[in-house]
Amino acid sequence: MDGTSEWTEMGAEQGLDHLAMLSPVEAHYQSLVRGFSSVTTRLRNYSFYAFWVVHYKRQVRNDARRVFEDRTRRVEALYALAAAQRTNETGVAGSTFADEKIEEGGDPIDFRVETDYETPQKNRYLAPRGGAFPGVYFGQMSEMGLIGRGKRHGLPVPDEPCYALADAYAASHSDFIDGFLRCAEVGQVTRAELEPMVAMAPSSLDQESDEAAILRRLLMGEDGADLSINRRATLLAILEIAKQTDSGTEAESPSVKITEDMLRWWFIENEPNGAHADIHRSWQHYQVGDMVRLVYESLLNHAISVLEDFNEGLPAPELVSELVADIPGVPLEVWLTTLAEGPESLRELQARGMVHDAPLGDILAPLARLWRDWRHRLGDLGESYKEAPGQQTCFTELRWIEAHLTDSAETALGQLLFHRVLRRHLEVAARKFRIQTSYTYLIEVEEARLRARGKVNVNPSGPRLATAIRFLEDVDLLKQGRITPRGLAYLEAAL
C-alpha cells in the first residue's frame, strides 16, 4: 500500500456470511465427512486422478508445475469427452465443453486450443488455468489418504493406497488406457478412439471389479485413519437409517428415500441410540448450529425490512424500539416457553419463520424450541463449537439466552437485536472491508442513522450429505436413495 485511498465496487454480494455464523457450522460438518466437498460429486473421479498422479510420477517425472498443469489440462479434457458419451452422465469437470465439442461433428476432435495455457479463460475447457484438480480434488484426495504434497516442488505425491487404486483403474481400461494417454498428450482424438473410452465414465464402474472394491474400502474409511473415523461413522449411520426407513421400523411409510434434507431432519428429530449414537449427536449439533444461524439471519432481514419503510433511515435505538414494539412485557423465559409450545415440528417452525414478512414471533419460534430442548445440554454443544474470541455460535447464543431469562422479553430481545445482530453485522462487514476490501454492508451508517442497503439470502447450509449419498450410490451401497443388498451385507458385516 502506498498510503492512498482505494474504493471498492459497492456491488451486491450474495451468499456471504453476513454474521460470521456460517463458518463454525461449516467447520463442524466438514470434520464429519473428511474427503468430501460439494463439487467432488462422483467417487470414481478419485480413481481417475489417482491413476493420473501415479502415471505422472512413474512416467513423466517432471517437477515443473507448468508441465504438470499442461499435462493435467489435456487428460482432464479428454476424460470429459470420454464421459460425455454416456447419456446423462454427471459429475465430470468440463462436461459443457465436452458436450459442445462432440456436437460439433469434427473428426478427429481437436482440443488443443481449449487446453492451451495461453488460451483466454472464456475459450478454455474450464475457467481455472490449472484445471479442476488443484482446487477441487487435491485437498479431498489428501484427506482420503491418497496423496500428499511434495515438499520441494509442491506437486501431488501418491501415497501407498493411491498406487493400488491407480493400478486397478488402469486394469479396468487395459484395452485403451495407453491410447488415452497418447491422445491426451497430442490433444486430439478420433471418434473411433474415443468410443471405448466411455468405460471411464463414473457411471460405468464395474461393481465386481477390484477398482470398485478399493473405492468401497476407501470411501468407508476402512484404513482406520483419524480423518476417516467420522466419515465411516457417518456413512454407516446413513446405511442404518436407510435400512430402518426401508423396513418401516422408523417411519410410518416404508421405503423412504434417503436425501440430504431427509437426513438433516431425521438426525434432529430422533434420539441418538445404538452403535451410531455418537455420530448421530454430532449431526444434531450441526443442525442446531445451522438453525440458530438461520434465525439470526432472518432477524437481520426483519430489521432491514423495517428500515426500508424509512427513507431517511433510523437511529439504532429507534429501530430497536420499532422491532420490539409488540413484544409482551413478560420475562424472556415465559415468552420463549410460549413460543416453544405447540404441535409443530422443528421443520415446520423453521419453514414458517423463513417465509417473507414473517412476524417476529414466528422467526424466533425455532430458536425458542431449540432453547427449550437444548438448554440442559449446552455443554455438549460447547464440545462441538469451541469458544473463540469474537465467535457467535449456537452455543454462545443459547448460553446468552440462559443468562437473560429473568429480563423482560422486550429488553432482552432488544439487546439481542442490537448487539448480536445489527452491531454484529456492522462489525463483520467492517472487518471484511478492511481485510478483503469487499463491501458487504447490508445496513449502512450515515450521520448516526441506519439505512437499508440489501438483504441476506437466507438458506440452510449444504453439509455434504448429498455427496455422501451420491458416493454410496456410486459403489452400490445405496440405489436411488434406498439401501441395496450389497449395502445391507456391508452394514451387517461392519456391526
Side-chain angles (χ1 to χ4, degrees), residues 112-143:
R112 289 175 293 181
V113 171
E114 292 88 348
T115 56
D116 188 83
Y117 184 83
E118 302 299 336
T119 297
Q121 178 176 313
K122 65 178 182 179
N123 297 325
R124 295 182 209 139
Y125 76 104
L126 282 177
R129 180 168 270 164
F133 177 76
V136 177
Y137 285 94
F138 197 129
Q140 307 310 322
M141 291 179 69
S142 177
E143 290 191 343

PDB file of all heavy atoms in Angstrom, residues 112-143:
ATOM      1  N   ARG A 112      -6.759 -28.974 -28.511  1.00  0.00           N
ATOM      2  CA  ARG A 112      -5.503 -28.312 -28.144  1.00  0.00           C
ATOM      3  C   ARG A 112      -5.725 -26.867 -27.712  1.00  0.00           C
ATOM      4  O   ARG A 112      -5.136 -26.403 -26.737  1.00  0.00           O
ATOM      5  CB  ARG A 112      -4.518 -28.374 -29.313  1.00  0.00           C
ATOM      6  CG  ARG A 112      -3.945 -29.765 -29.576  1.00  0.00           C
ATOM      7  CD  ARG A 112      -3.079 -29.795 -30.828  1.00  0.00           C
ATOM      8  NE  ARG A 112      -3.895 -29.577 -32.029  1.00  0.00           N
ATOM      9  CZ  ARG A 112      -3.403 -29.566 -33.273  1.00  0.00           C
ATOM     10  NH1 ARG A 112      -2.099 -29.729 -33.458  1.00  0.00           N
ATOM     11  NH2 ARG A 112      -4.193 -29.369 -34.315  1.00  0.00           N
ATOM     12  N   VAL A 113      -6.563 -26.151 -28.443  1.00  0.00           N
ATOM     13  CA  VAL A 113      -6.784 -24.739 -28.112  1.00  0.00           C
ATOM     14  C   VAL A 113      -7.423 -24.606 -26.732  1.00  0.00           C
ATOM     15  O   VAL A 113      -6.995 -23.795 -25.907  1.00  0.00           O
ATOM     16  CB  VAL A 113      -7.670 -24.064 -29.182  1.00  0.00           C
ATOM     17  CG1 VAL A 113      -8.070 -22.651 -28.718  1.00  0.00           C
ATOM     18  CG2 VAL A 113      -6.940 -23.997 -30.509  1.00  0.00           C
ATOM     19  N   GLU A 114      -8.438 -25.416 -26.447  1.00  0.00           N
ATOM     20  CA  GLU A 114      -9.161 -25.303 -25.179  1.00  0.00           C
ATOM     21  C   GLU A 114      -8.306 -25.675 -23.972  1.00  0.00           C
ATOM     22  O   GLU A 114      -8.649 -25.343 -22.840  1.00  0.00           O
ATOM     23  CB  GLU A 114     -10.399 -26.204 -25.198  1.00  0.00           C
ATOM     24  CG  GLU A 114     -11.479 -25.755 -26.165  1.00  0.00           C
ATOM     25  CD  GLU A 114     -11.273 -26.324 -27.566  1.00  0.00           C
ATOM     26  OE1 GLU A 114     -10.188 -26.866 -27.847  1.00  0.00           O
ATOM     27  OE2 GLU A 114     -12.213 -26.225 -28.371  1.00  0.00           O
ATOM     28  N   THR A 115      -7.202 -26.359 -24.199  1.00  0.00           N
ATOM     29  CA  THR A 115      -6.343 -26.785 -23.093  1.00  0.00           C
ATOM     30  C   THR A 115      -4.987 -26.082 -23.106  1.00  0.00           C
ATOM     31  O   THR A 115      -4.113 -26.435 -22.311  1.00  0.00           O
ATOM     32  CB  THR A 115      -6.123 -28.304 -23.152  1.00  0.00           C
ATOM     33  OG1 THR A 115      -5.591 -28.669 -24.430  1.00  0.00           O
ATOM     34  CG2 THR A 115      -7.422 -29.054 -22.911  1.00  0.00           C
ATOM     35  N   ASP A 116      -4.833 -25.099 -23.972  1.00  0.00           N
ATOM     36  CA  ASP A 116      -3.553 -24.388 -24.048  1.00  0.00           C
ATOM     37  C   ASP A 116      -3.437 -23.358 -22.924  1.00  0.00           C
ATOM     38  O   ASP A 116      -4.420 -22.704 -22.553  1.00  0.00           O
ATOM     39  CB  ASP A 116      -3.414 -23.687 -25.406  1.00  0.00           C
ATOM     40  CG  ASP A 116      -2.016 -23.107 -25.606  1.00  0.00           C
ATOM     41  OD1 ASP A 116      -1.114 -23.863 -26.016  1.00  0.00           O
ATOM     42  OD2 ASP A 116      -1.828 -21.915 -25.309  1.00  0.00           O
ATOM     43  N   TYR A 117      -2.249 -23.222 -22.407  1.00  0.00           N
ATOM     44  CA  TYR A 117      -2.001 -22.312 -21.283  1.00  0.00           C
ATOM     45  C   TYR A 117      -2.358 -20.870 -21.629  1.00  0.00           C
ATOM     46  O   TYR A 117      -2.841 -20.115 -20.774  1.00  0.00           O
ATOM     47  CB  TYR A 117      -0.525 -22.402 -20.877  1.00  0.00           C
ATOM     48  CG  TYR A 117      -0.155 -21.574 -19.665  1.00  0.00           C
ATOM     49  CD1 TYR A 117      -0.361 -22.061 -18.379  1.00  0.00           C
ATOM     50  CD2 TYR A 117       0.404 -20.306 -19.808  1.00  0.00           C
ATOM     51  CE1 TYR A 117      -0.020 -21.305 -17.260  1.00  0.00           C
ATOM     52  CE2 TYR A 117       0.744 -19.544 -18.696  1.00  0.00           C
ATOM     53  CZ  TYR A 117       0.532 -20.047 -17.427  1.00  0.00           C
ATOM     54  OH  TYR A 117       0.865 -19.296 -16.333  1.00  0.00           O
ATOM     55  N   GLU A 118      -2.126 -20.462 -22.876  1.00  0.00           N
ATOM     56  CA  GLU A 118      -2.326 -19.078 -23.279  1.00  0.00           C
ATOM     57  C   GLU A 118      -3.752 -18.768 -23.707  1.00  0.00           C
ATOM     58  O   GLU A 118      -4.077 -17.610 -23.963  1.00  0.00           O
ATOM     59  CB  GLU A 118      -1.366 -18.727 -24.429  1.00  0.00           C
ATOM     60  CG  GLU A 118       0.101 -18.909 -24.102  1.00  0.00           C
ATOM     61  CD  GLU A 118       0.570 -18.021 -22.953  1.00  0.00           C
ATOM     62  OE1 GLU A 118      -0.079 -16.975 -22.718  1.00  0.00           O
ATOM     63  OE2 GLU A 118       1.570 -18.357 -22.308  1.00  0.00           O
ATOM     64  N   THR A 119      -4.601 -19.765 -23.813  1.00  0.00           N
ATOM     65  CA  THR A 119      -5.977 -19.539 -24.261  1.00  0.00           C
ATOM     66  C   THR A 119      -6.739 -18.684 -23.249  1.00  0.00           C
ATOM     67  O   THR A 119      -6.679 -18.941 -22.039  1.00  0.00           O
ATOM     68  CB  THR A 119      -6.705 -20.887 -24.443  1.00  0.00           C
ATOM     69  OG1 THR A 119      -6.043 -21.622 -25.470  1.00  0.00           O
ATOM     70  CG2 THR A 119      -8.164 -20.678 -24.835  1.00  0.00           C
ATOM     71  N   PRO A 120      -7.466 -17.661 -23.713  1.00  0.00           N
ATOM     72  CA  PRO A 120      -8.257 -16.839 -22.777  1.00  0.00           C
ATOM     73  C   PRO A 120      -9.266 -17.685 -22.018  1.00  0.00           C
ATOM     74  O   PRO A 120      -9.744 -18.703 -22.510  1.00  0.00           O
ATOM     75  CB  PRO A 120      -8.956 -15.839 -23.712  1.00  0.00           C
ATOM     76  CG  PRO A 120      -8.112 -15.795 -24.944  1.00  0.00           C
ATOM     77  CD  PRO A 120      -7.548 -17.175 -25.096  1.00  0.00           C
ATOM     78  N   GLN A 121      -9.602 -17.231 -20.844  1.00  0.00           N
ATOM     79  CA  GLN A 121     -10.467 -18.007 -19.952  1.00  0.00           C
ATOM     80  C   GLN A 121     -11.769 -18.421 -20.617  1.00  0.00           C
ATOM     81  O   GLN A 121     -12.226 -19.562 -20.469  1.00  0.00           O
ATOM     82  CB  GLN A 121     -10.759 -17.196 -18.689  1.00  0.00           C
ATOM     83  CG  GLN A 121     -11.695 -17.883 -17.701  1.00  0.00           C
ATOM     84  CD  GLN A 121     -11.871 -17.085 -16.423  1.00  0.00           C
ATOM     85  OE1 GLN A 121     -10.921 -16.625 -15.838  1.00  0.00           O
ATOM     86  NE2 GLN A 121     -13.122 -16.910 -16.009  1.00  0.00           N
ATOM     87  N   LYS A 122     -12.385 -17.513 -21.360  1.00  0.00           N
ATOM     88  CA  LYS A 122     -13.701 -17.810 -21.936  1.00  0.00           C
ATOM     89  C   LYS A 122     -13.647 -18.922 -22.968  1.00  0.00           C
ATOM     90  O   LYS A 122     -14.689 -19.533 -23.291  1.00  0.00           O
ATOM     91  CB  LYS A 122     -14.297 -16.551 -22.567  1.00  0.00           C
ATOM     92  CG  LYS A 122     -13.517 -16.025 -23.772  1.00  0.00           C
ATOM     93  CD  LYS A 122     -14.187 -14.799 -24.372  1.00  0.00           C
ATOM     94  CE  LYS A 122     -13.424 -14.306 -25.602  1.00  0.00           C
ATOM     95  NZ  LYS A 122     -14.093 -13.129 -26.214  1.00  0.00           N
ATOM     96  N   ASN A 123     -12.466 -19.225 -23.490  1.00  0.00           N
ATOM     97  CA  ASN A 123     -12.331 -20.261 -24.517  1.00  0.00           C
ATOM     98  C   ASN A 123     -11.728 -21.556 -23.982  1.00  0.00           C
ATOM     99  O   ASN A 123     -11.516 -22.495 -24.756  1.00  0.00           O
ATOM    100  CB  ASN A 123     -11.470 -19.745 -25.678  1.00  0.00           C
ATOM    101  CG  ASN A 123     -12.104 -18.564 -26.383  1.00  0.00           C
ATOM    102  OD1 ASN A 123     -13.329 -18.501 -26.502  1.00  0.00           O
ATOM    103  ND2 ASN A 123     -11.287 -17.624 -26.841  1.00  0.00           N
ATOM    104  N   ARG A 124     -11.437 -21.623 -22.682  1.00  0.00           N
ATOM    105  CA  ARG A 124     -10.865 -22.848 -22.116  1.00  0.00           C
ATOM    106  C   ARG A 124     -11.945 -23.882 -21.840  1.00  0.00           C
ATOM    107  O   ARG A 124     -13.125 -23.548 -21.702  1.00  0.00           O
ATOM    108  CB  ARG A 124     -10.137 -22.539 -20.798  1.00  0.00           C
ATOM    109  CG  ARG A 124      -8.921 -21.655 -20.929  1.00  0.00           C
ATOM    110  CD  ARG A 124      -8.262 -21.468 -19.561  1.00  0.00           C
ATOM    111  NE  ARG A 124      -7.583 -20.188 -19.506  1.00  0.00           N
ATOM    112  CZ  ARG A 124      -7.579 -19.371 -18.464  1.00  0.00           C
ATOM    113  NH1 ARG A 124      -8.204 -19.726 -17.356  1.00  0.00           N
ATOM    114  NH2 ARG A 124      -6.937 -18.231 -18.505  1.00  0.00           N
ATOM    115  N   TYR A 125     -11.532 -25.132 -21.696  1.00  0.00           N
ATOM    116  CA  TYR A 125     -12.488 -26.179 -21.333  1.00  0.00           C
ATOM    117  C   TYR A 125     -12.998 -25.983 -19.915  1.00  0.00           C
ATOM    118  O   TYR A 125     -14.109 -26.395 -19.567  1.00  0.00           O
ATOM    119  CB  TYR A 125     -11.851 -27.566 -21.497  1.00  0.00           C
ATOM    120  CG  TYR A 125     -10.887 -27.941 -20.392  1.00  0.00           C
ATOM    121  CD1 TYR A 125     -11.238 -28.845 -19.395  1.00  0.00           C
ATOM    122  CD2 TYR A 125      -9.613 -27.363 -20.323  1.00  0.00           C
ATOM    123  CE1 TYR A 125     -10.361 -29.179 -18.376  1.00  0.00           C
ATOM    124  CE2 TYR A 125      -8.736 -27.685 -19.312  1.00  0.00           C
ATOM    125  CZ  TYR A 125      -9.119 -28.593 -18.342  1.00  0.00           C
ATOM    126  OH  TYR A 125      -8.241 -28.906 -17.326  1.00  0.00           O
ATOM    127  N   LEU A 126     -12.178 -25.346 -19.069  1.00  0.00           N
ATOM    128  CA  LEU A 126     -12.554 -24.948 -17.715  1.00  0.00           C
ATOM    129  C   LEU A 126     -11.953 -23.579 -17.445  1.00  0.00           C
ATOM    130  O   LEU A 126     -10.869 -23.266 -17.941  1.00  0.00           O
ATOM    131  CB  LEU A 126     -12.028 -25.938 -16.674  1.00  0.00           C
ATOM    132  CG  LEU A 126     -12.764 -27.261 -16.465  1.00  0.00           C
ATOM    133  CD1 LEU A 126     -12.019 -28.096 -15.433  1.00  0.00           C
ATOM    134  CD2 LEU A 126     -14.200 -27.047 -16.021  1.00  0.00           C
ATOM    135  N   ALA A 127     -12.622 -22.792 -16.620  1.00  0.00           N
ATOM    136  CA  ALA A 127     -12.120 -21.452 -16.345  1.00  0.00           C
ATOM    137  C   ALA A 127     -10.758 -21.438 -15.640  1.00  0.00           C
ATOM    138  O   ALA A 127      -9.862 -20.691 -16.040  1.00  0.00           O
ATOM    139  CB  ALA A 127     -13.140 -20.663 -15.534  1.00  0.00           C
ATOM    140  N   PRO A 128     -10.536 -22.245 -14.584  1.00  0.00           N
ATOM    141  CA  PRO A 128      -9.234 -22.197 -13.908  1.00  0.00           C
ATOM    142  C   PRO A 128      -8.107 -22.661 -14.833  1.00  0.00           C
ATOM    143  O   PRO A 128      -8.219 -23.709 -15.474  1.00  0.00           O
ATOM    144  CB  PRO A 128      -9.402 -23.167 -12.730  1.00  0.00           C
ATOM    145  CG  PRO A 128     -10.879 -23.284 -12.532  1.00  0.00           C
ATOM    146  CD  PRO A 128     -11.475 -23.155 -13.885  1.00  0.00           C
ATOM    147  N   ARG A 129      -7.050 -21.913 -14.878  1.00  0.00           N
ATOM    148  CA  ARG A 129      -5.938 -22.249 -15.765  1.00  0.00           C
ATOM    149  C   ARG A 129      -5.298 -23.580 -15.382  1.00  0.00           C
ATOM    150  O   ARG A 129      -4.804 -24.309 -16.243  1.00  0.00           O
ATOM    151  CB  ARG A 129      -4.898 -21.129 -15.739  1.00  0.00           C
ATOM    152  CG  ARG A 129      -3.692 -21.359 -16.624  1.00  0.00           C
ATOM    153  CD  ARG A 129      -2.870 -20.088 -16.757  1.00  0.00           C
ATOM    154  NE  ARG A 129      -3.321 -19.287 -17.880  1.00  0.00           N
ATOM    155  CZ  ARG A 129      -3.017 -18.003 -18.065  1.00  0.00           C
ATOM    156  NH1 ARG A 129      -2.306 -17.380 -17.150  1.00  0.00           N
ATOM    157  NH2 ARG A 129      -3.451 -17.350 -19.129  1.00  0.00           N
ATOM    158  N   GLY A 130      -5.320 -23.925 -14.113  1.00  0.00           N
ATOM    159  CA  GLY A 130      -4.721 -25.184 -13.681  1.00  0.00           C
ATOM    160  C   GLY A 130      -5.647 -26.379 -13.796  1.00  0.00           C
ATOM    161  O   GLY A 130      -5.271 -27.489 -13.431  1.00  0.00           O
ATOM    162  N   GLY A 131      -6.882 -26.153 -14.290  1.00  0.00           N
ATOM    163  CA  GLY A 131      -7.833 -27.245 -14.401  1.00  0.00           C
ATOM    164  C   GLY A 131      -8.574 -27.482 -13.101  1.00  0.00           C
ATOM    165  O   GLY A 131      -8.515 -26.691 -12.155  1.00  0.00           O
ATOM    166  N   ALA A 132      -9.276 -28.606 -13.022  1.00  0.00           N
ATOM    167  CA  ALA A 132     -10.092 -28.913 -11.850  1.00  0.00           C
ATOM    168  C   ALA A 132      -9.277 -29.498 -10.707  1.00  0.00           C
ATOM    169  O   ALA A 132      -9.616 -29.314  -9.543  1.00  0.00           O
ATOM    170  CB  ALA A 132     -11.211 -29.895 -12.237  1.00  0.00           C
ATOM    171  N   PHE A 133      -8.206 -30.211 -11.013  1.00  0.00           N
ATOM    172  CA  PHE A 133      -7.510 -30.970  -9.985  1.00  0.00           C
ATOM    173  C   PHE A 133      -6.976 -30.123  -8.827  1.00  0.00           C
ATOM    174  O   PHE A 133      -7.238 -30.459  -7.658  1.00  0.00           O
ATOM    175  CB  PHE A 133      -6.371 -31.784 -10.602  1.00  0.00           C
ATOM    176  CG  PHE A 133      -5.566 -32.535  -9.586  1.00  0.00           C
ATOM    177  CD1 PHE A 133      -6.057 -33.691  -9.005  1.00  0.00           C
ATOM    178  CD2 PHE A 133      -4.316 -32.066  -9.183  1.00  0.00           C
ATOM    179  CE1 PHE A 133      -5.326 -34.374  -8.039  1.00  0.00           C
ATOM    180  CE2 PHE A 133      -3.580 -32.738  -8.224  1.00  0.00           C
ATOM    181  CZ  PHE A 133      -4.087 -33.896  -7.650  1.00  0.00           C
ATOM    182  N   PRO A 134      -6.230 -29.047  -9.069  1.00  0.00           N
ATOM    183  CA  PRO A 134      -5.624 -28.330  -7.925  1.00  0.00           C
ATOM    184  C   PRO A 134      -6.635 -27.804  -6.924  1.00  0.00           C
ATOM    185  O   PRO A 134      -6.464 -27.960  -5.710  1.00  0.00           O
ATOM    186  CB  PRO A 134      -4.848 -27.181  -8.597  1.00  0.00           C
ATOM    187  CG  PRO A 134      -4.626 -27.633  -9.996  1.00  0.00           C
ATOM    188  CD  PRO A 134      -5.837 -28.441 -10.356  1.00  0.00           C
ATOM    189  N   GLY A 135      -7.707 -27.175  -7.406  1.00  0.00           N
ATOM    190  CA  GLY A 135      -8.643 -26.542  -6.494  1.00  0.00           C
ATOM    191  C   GLY A 135      -9.758 -27.435  -6.000  1.00  0.00           C
ATOM    192  O   GLY A 135     -10.349 -27.165  -4.958  1.00  0.00           O
ATOM    193  N   VAL A 136     -10.045 -28.522  -6.722  1.00  0.00           N
ATOM    194  CA  VAL A 136     -11.194 -29.352  -6.381  1.00  0.00           C
ATOM    195  C   VAL A 136     -10.787 -30.678  -5.756  1.00  0.00           C
ATOM    196  O   VAL A 136     -11.347 -31.093  -4.738  1.00  0.00           O
ATOM    197  CB  VAL A 136     -12.056 -29.603  -7.639  1.00  0.00           C
ATOM    198  CG1 VAL A 136     -13.216 -30.540  -7.315  1.00  0.00           C
ATOM    199  CG2 VAL A 136     -12.575 -28.288  -8.203  1.00  0.00           C
ATOM    200  N   TYR A 137      -9.790 -31.355  -6.330  1.00  0.00           N
ATOM    201  CA  TYR A 137      -9.508 -32.719  -5.907  1.00  0.00           C
ATOM    202  C   TYR A 137      -8.265 -32.884  -5.038  1.00  0.00           C
ATOM    203  O   TYR A 137      -8.169 -33.851  -4.281  1.00  0.00           O
ATOM    204  CB  TYR A 137      -9.400 -33.631  -7.134  1.00  0.00           C
ATOM    205  CG  TYR A 137     -10.751 -33.917  -7.725  1.00  0.00           C
ATOM    206  CD1 TYR A 137     -11.244 -33.138  -8.761  1.00  0.00           C
ATOM    207  CD2 TYR A 137     -11.563 -34.913  -7.206  1.00  0.00           C
ATOM    208  CE1 TYR A 137     -12.503 -33.366  -9.278  1.00  0.00           C
ATOM    209  CE2 TYR A 137     -12.828 -35.146  -7.713  1.00  0.00           C
ATOM    210  CZ  TYR A 137     -13.294 -34.373  -8.758  1.00  0.00           C
ATOM    211  OH  TYR A 137     -14.541 -34.598  -9.247  1.00  0.00           O
ATOM    212  N   PHE A 138      -7.318 -31.974  -5.139  1.00  0.00           N
ATOM    213  CA  PHE A 138      -6.074 -32.149  -4.392  1.00  0.00           C
ATOM    214  C   PHE A 138      -6.354 -32.300  -2.899  1.00  0.00           C
ATOM    215  O   PHE A 138      -5.928 -33.267  -2.252  1.00  0.00           O
ATOM    216  CB  PHE A 138      -5.142 -30.965  -4.652  1.00  0.00           C
ATOM    217  CG  PHE A 138      -3.705 -31.226  -4.269  1.00  0.00           C
ATOM    218  CD1 PHE A 138      -2.688 -30.978  -5.171  1.00  0.00           C
ATOM    219  CD2 PHE A 138      -3.347 -31.694  -3.004  1.00  0.00           C
ATOM    220  CE1 PHE A 138      -1.358 -31.210  -4.832  1.00  0.00           C
ATOM    221  CE2 PHE A 138      -2.037 -31.928  -2.659  1.00  0.00           C
ATOM    222  CZ  PHE A 138      -1.034 -31.686  -3.571  1.00  0.00           C
ATOM    223  N   GLY A 139      -7.068 -31.334  -2.335  1.00  0.00           N
ATOM    224  CA  GLY A 139      -7.310 -31.357  -0.889  1.00  0.00           C
ATOM    225  C   GLY A 139      -8.126 -32.548  -0.440  1.00  0.00           C
ATOM    226  O   GLY A 139      -7.835 -33.152   0.604  1.00  0.00           O
ATOM    227  N   GLN A 140      -9.159 -32.900  -1.214  1.00  0.00           N
ATOM    228  CA  GLN A 140     -10.024 -34.006  -0.813  1.00  0.00           C
ATOM    229  C   GLN A 140      -9.295 -35.349  -0.910  1.00  0.00           C
ATOM    230  O   GLN A 140      -9.460 -36.222  -0.055  1.00  0.00           O
ATOM    231  CB  GLN A 140     -11.283 -34.030  -1.684  1.00  0.00           C
ATOM    232  CG  GLN A 140     -12.037 -32.707  -1.730  1.00  0.00           C
ATOM    233  CD  GLN A 140     -12.300 -32.117  -0.361  1.00  0.00           C
ATOM    234  OE1 GLN A 140     -12.592 -32.834   0.586  1.00  0.00           O
ATOM    235  NE2 GLN A 140     -12.173 -30.801  -0.239  1.00  0.00           N
ATOM    236  N   MET A 141      -8.469 -35.520  -1.944  1.00  0.00           N
ATOM    237  CA  MET A 141      -7.709 -36.758  -2.065  1.00  0.00           C
ATOM    238  C   MET A 141      -6.652 -36.870  -0.974  1.00  0.00           C
ATOM    239  O   MET A 141      -6.325 -37.967  -0.519  1.00  0.00           O
ATOM    240  CB  MET A 141      -7.071 -36.839  -3.447  1.00  0.00           C
ATOM    241  CG  MET A 141      -8.089 -37.048  -4.563  1.00  0.00           C
ATOM    242  SD  MET A 141      -7.336 -37.109  -6.213  1.00  0.00           S
ATOM    243  CE  MET A 141      -6.442 -38.671  -6.122  1.00  0.00           C
ATOM    244  N   SER A 142      -6.147 -35.730  -0.542  1.00  0.00           N
ATOM    245  CA  SER A 142      -5.202 -35.730   0.574  1.00  0.00           C
ATOM    246  C   SER A 142      -5.898 -36.200   1.851  1.00  0.00           C
ATOM    247  O   SER A 142      -5.361 -37.020   2.608  1.00  0.00           O
ATOM    248  CB  SER A 142      -4.614 -34.329   0.763  1.00  0.00           C
ATOM    249  OG  SER A 142      -3.757 -34.292   1.877  1.00  0.00           O
ATOM    250  N   GLU A 143      -7.120 -35.688   2.093  1.00  0.00           N
ATOM    251  CA  GLU A 143      -7.865 -36.100   3.282  1.00  0.00           C
ATOM    252  C   GLU A 143      -8.272 -37.573   3.218  1.00  0.00           C
ATOM    253  O   GLU A 143      -8.455 -38.217   4.250  1.00  0.00           O
ATOM    254  CB  GLU A 143      -9.096 -35.219   3.460  1.00  0.00           C
ATOM    255  CG  GLU A 143      -8.758 -33.788   3.857  1.00  0.00           C
ATOM    256  CD  GLU A 143      -9.978 -32.993   4.296  1.00  0.00           C
ATOM    257  OE1 GLU A 143     -11.106 -33.429   3.993  1.00  0.00           O
ATOM    258  OE2 GLU A 143      -9.800 -31.957   4.953  1.00  0.00           O
TER     259      GLU A 143
END
